Amino acid sequence: MSSPTEFFSYKKGILCADGIPLDKIAKTSGTPLYVYSEKSFLKTLKILKKELRSFEPLICFAVKANSNIHILKLLKQNGAGADIVSGGELFRAMKAAIPSEKIIFSGVGKTEEEIKSALKSGKSGVGSFNVESLEELELINRVAQENKKVARIALRFNPDINAKTHPYISTGLKKNKFGMERKQVLKIFSAAQKYKNLKLQGISVHIGSQLLSLGPIQDAFVEVKNLITEIEKMGRKIELVDLGGGVGITYSNEKPPRISQYAKLIQKHFGPLKKKNKNFKLAIEPGRVIAGNSGVLIARVLGQKKHGNKNFLILDAAMNDLIRPALYGSFHAIIPVSQAYLKGPKLKYSIVGPVCESSDCFASDRPMSASLKRGDLVAILSTGAYGFSMASNYNSRPRPPEILVRDGRFRVIRKRENFQDLVRHEAF
Ligand SMILES: *Cc1c(COP(=O)(O)O)cnc(C)c1O
C-alpha cells in the first residue's frame, strides 16, 4: 500500500499533504503533529451538497469529529452548520460564527446551563434540540419558559437497528443509551400542545458511526418514514427530518458506501424532493466521512527494540495523541514519510508510543521497513476524525499542534501545548 488517501501521496519520494512535503512541515513544527488538507475537507462536503442539492439540506458537521474552530469556519464558509453535543461545542460553533439556526444540539444528557445557553445563542437559539428522553423534553420546556423562549425540538428516535459496527460506536439498538422508542415518540407528539415553550418540529435518527453498508441505514430510513406517517396521521406536521451521520470511510480496505449511493437512498425514501418535500427540512450530521481521511498524524521514530522474536517500533506519538487504536482496536495505516522505506526487507512490528500502558499500541504485527531508525518520520493515516478531538494530556504530554494545508501553504491552526499549559489550572 502506498497511500490510501487521495490528498496524501508521495511526490519526489516524500509523503505530501496536497503537494507540501510532510518532512518540511515536521521540521518547522516538530513532532508529533496533525496535518490536515483543506481540499480534502471540502471535497466530501461539496459532494454531499451536490448529490443532495434537490433537498437543500442542512449539513451539520459533527463537531466532535474535529473541533478546531478553523476547520469549523472553513466548513461554515462552504455552507455547513454544526451538530454539537456539549456546551463547549456550542461555544466553538458560535466562535466559528455558524448561524445558530444551523446548529443542532444532540446528545443523551444536557445540563440546564447548556440548554440555557443554546436557547440564548444567536438570534433565536439553536435550530434544534434533539431530545433523547421525556424527562429531558420537560426540562427544556421548563428552562425555555423561565427564559421566555421557544425551543425548537426534534425527538431522537431509536429504531432498534443493528448498525453492524464496533459496539462502542453503535447507537441505534434498544440496549444503547440513545434515543426514544417509537411509542414514546408518538406519545409525545400526541401531547404536543402540553408543552407551551416547545416547537415540536420533527424527528432525528443516528444509528452509529463507521457504517460500512447501506443496509442498516436503509432499515433506519424505513422506520423513520413509517414513524413520520404515523405522526402525520395524528394531524401533526413534520418540519424537520434529521438523518444523522455515520457513513464510514476506508481505513485499510473497507468499501464504505459511496456518497452518491447514500444520497440516492435518501432520495428514494424522502424525495423526489423540492415539490413533494416542501413540507420538511432535511438535515444530516456527517462527521467522519468529511474529516477522517482529511488528516494524518506525523510521528518520529524514537527507536526499535526486540523481545525474543517480537519487534517494537517506538514512536514519539502515543495513545494520548490518538486513542482510537487503544479504545476500539481500530486500524490505521502507518507509512514512512520517506518513500524509500517502502522498499527493502521488512519486519513485523508492534508500533507503540511512550505512554505507560500496554494498550498504547498503534498497530500489531505490522510489516515495516527493517531500516527505520531513530529520527525517521512515519505518518499515521486517516486521523482527521476522532484524532485530535479525542486527544488528552495523559502522562503529562502536551497535545500536538494542528496544521492546515491550503493553496500550497501550511498554517498552524492550533499551537503545540507547552508544559506551562499542563499546569495552568493548578497554579492558583
Ligand atoms: C457522533 C455523531 C454524529 C457523527 O457521526 P459520524 O460517524 O462521525 O458521521 C452525528 N450525529 C450524532 C448525534 C452523533 O452523536
Side-chain angles (χ1 to χ4, degrees):
M1 181 180 2
S2 56
S3 172
T5 57
E6 183 182 347
F7 297 91
F8 298 89
S9 54
Y10 291 104
K11 211 171 101 183
K12 291 186 188 151
I14 299 293
L15 189 67
C16 294
D18 275 353
I20 305 286
L22 288 164
D23 59 350
K24 189 176 149 198
I25 304 180
K27 204 170 167 193
T28 313
S29 298
T31 53
L33 86 161
Y34 278 95
V35 181
Y36 305 131
S37 150
E38 174 173 298
K39 265 197 200 144
S40 177
F41 264 99
L42 293 182
K43 185 183 171 182
T44 314
L45 178 60
K46 282 179 183 159
I47 297 177
L48 280 167
K49 264 165 60 177
K50 180 163 165 267
E51 298 283 344
L52 291 169
R53 65 189 173 282
S54 54
F55 286 96
E56 293 171 28
L58 185 54
I59 302 178
C60 291
F61 176 64
V63 173
K64 70 176 185 292
N66 189 312
S67 319
N68 189 296
I69 351 180
H70 297 272
I71 297 296
L72 302 183
K73 273 188 191 156
L74 174 70
L75 297 173
K76 178 231 147 187
Q77 282 157 5
N78 287 273
D83 171 64
I84 60 161
V85 292
S86 73
E89 288 189 355
L90 173 63
F91 178 80
R92 284 181 176 278
M94 295 305 289
K95 276 260 177 223
I98 294 173
S100 64
E101 64 275 11
K102 285 191 174 182
I103 298 176
I104 289 178
F105 195 169
S106 301
V108 80
K110 304 172 184 77
T111 68
E112 213 168 308
E113 268 319 300
E114 287 173 326
I115 294 166
K116 212 162 122 181
S117 40
L119 281 167
K120 292 183 164 182
S121 289
K123 281 201 190 90
S124 52
V126 295
S128 179
F129 287 90
N130 288 0
V131 170
E132 304 232 0
S133 71
L134 177 61
E135 193 177 327
E136 182 180 83
L137 188 83
E138 290 174 342
L139 171 67
I140 296 176
N141 188 49
R142 174 169 69 71
V143 178
Q145 191 182 9
E146 286 165 8
N147 290 278
K148 301 192 176 58
K149 299 274 184 195
V150 173
R152 291 176 277 194
I153 301 288
L155 301 182
R156 176 156 175 192
F157 169 45
N158 181 328
D160 195 25
I161 280 167
N162 187 347
K164 301 197 179 74
T165 183
H166 190 283
Y168 288 7
I169 49 177
S170 167
T171 58
L173 279 169
K174 260 193 190 134
K175 67 174 182 192
N176 299 133
K177 65 182 177 181
F178 298 97
M180 287 186 247
E181 291 178 88
R182 186 181 139 274
K183 269 194 193 145
Q184 176 79 279
V185 173
L186 290 171
K187 216 164 140 187
I188 292 173
F189 266 96
S190 71
Q193 70 283 4
K194 231 172 78 184
Y195 305 104
K196 302 283 182 243
N197 291 73
L198 302 183
K199 184 171 189 299
L200 218 49
Q201 300 187 112
I203 57 177
S204 75
V205 73
H206 173 72
I207 60 168
S209 196
Q210 183 58 4
L211 308 181
L212 290 173
S213 94
L214 286 176
I217 301 181
Q218 158 140 314
D219 295 347
F221 287 0
V222 170
E223 293 293 322
V224 167
K225 244 176 35 178
N226 292 341
L227 186 58
I228 293 175
T229 309
E230 286 188 80
I231 293 167
E232 287 179 336
K233 265 199 202 133
M234 293 174 359
R236 301 275 163 205
K237 238 175 91 190
I238 293 289
E239 293 166 60
L240 176 70
V241 177
D242 176 352
L243 297 175
V247 176
I249 61 165
T250 301
Y251 285 97
S252 55
N253 47 22
E254 303 92 331
K255 294 262 177 295
R258 290 172 40 173
I259 307 267
S260 55
Q261 294 305 111
Y262 173 69
K264 277 211 181 77
L265 195 68
I266 295 179
Q267 303 259 11
K268 185 175 150 203
H269 289 277
F270 302 97
L273 324 166
K274 279 258 150 106
K275 280 168 264 159
K276 206 164 141 192
N277 194 41
K278 269 268 172 353
N279 41 349
F280 63 76
K281 183 90 189 154
L282 187 91
I284 53 169
E285 305 166 341
R288 190 188 310 268
V289 78
I290 287 180
N293 274 322
S294 301
V296 296
L297 174 61
I298 305 297
R300 235 176 245 288
V301 173
L302 293 180
Q304 294 205 21
K305 65 185 263 183
K306 217 173 160 85
H307 290 167
N309 51 12
K310 203 168 159 61
N311 302 297
F312 293 92
L313 189 67
I314 305 157
L315 306 182
D316 67 355
M319 66 187 287
N320 74 293
D321 304 303
L322 173 70
I323 203 176
R324 297 188 70 257
L327 188 60
Y328 315 119
S330 52
F331 178 97
H332 286 274
I334 303 176
I335 59 175
V337 168
S338 168
Q339 195 174 15
Y341 284 125
L342 289 178
K343 297 192 207 94
K346 290 194 166 53
L347 285 173
K348 279 190 176 169
Y349 288 98
S350 278
I351 304 176
V352 302
V355 158
C356 307
E357 301 281 341
S358 291
S359 63
D360 183 24
C361 179
F362 292 118
S364 302
D365 292 325
R366 192 67 70 84
M368 296 288 281
S369 164
S371 329
L372 276 168
K373 59 188 182 308
R374 187 177 177 88
D376 287 332
L377 293 167
V378 296
I380 309 180
L381 305 184
S382 314
T383 47
Y386 307 103
F388 186 89
S389 64
M390 289 179 115
S392 77
N393 291 123
Y394 187 42
N395 276 214
S396 286
R397 291 168 52 90
R399 283 179 294 175
E402 293 174 285
I403 276 116
L404 181 64
V405 174
R406 158 188 217 174
D407 294 338
R409 290 201 206 151
F410 64 96
R411 182 161 72 98
V412 178
I413 56 170
R414 192 181 204 279
K415 287 198 283 192
R416 184 183 300 283
E417 290 179 348
N418 60 31
F419 294 149
Q420 206 54 44
D421 293 326
L422 295 177
V423 297
R424 194 170 301 283
H425 299 289
E426 295 158 38
F428 53 84

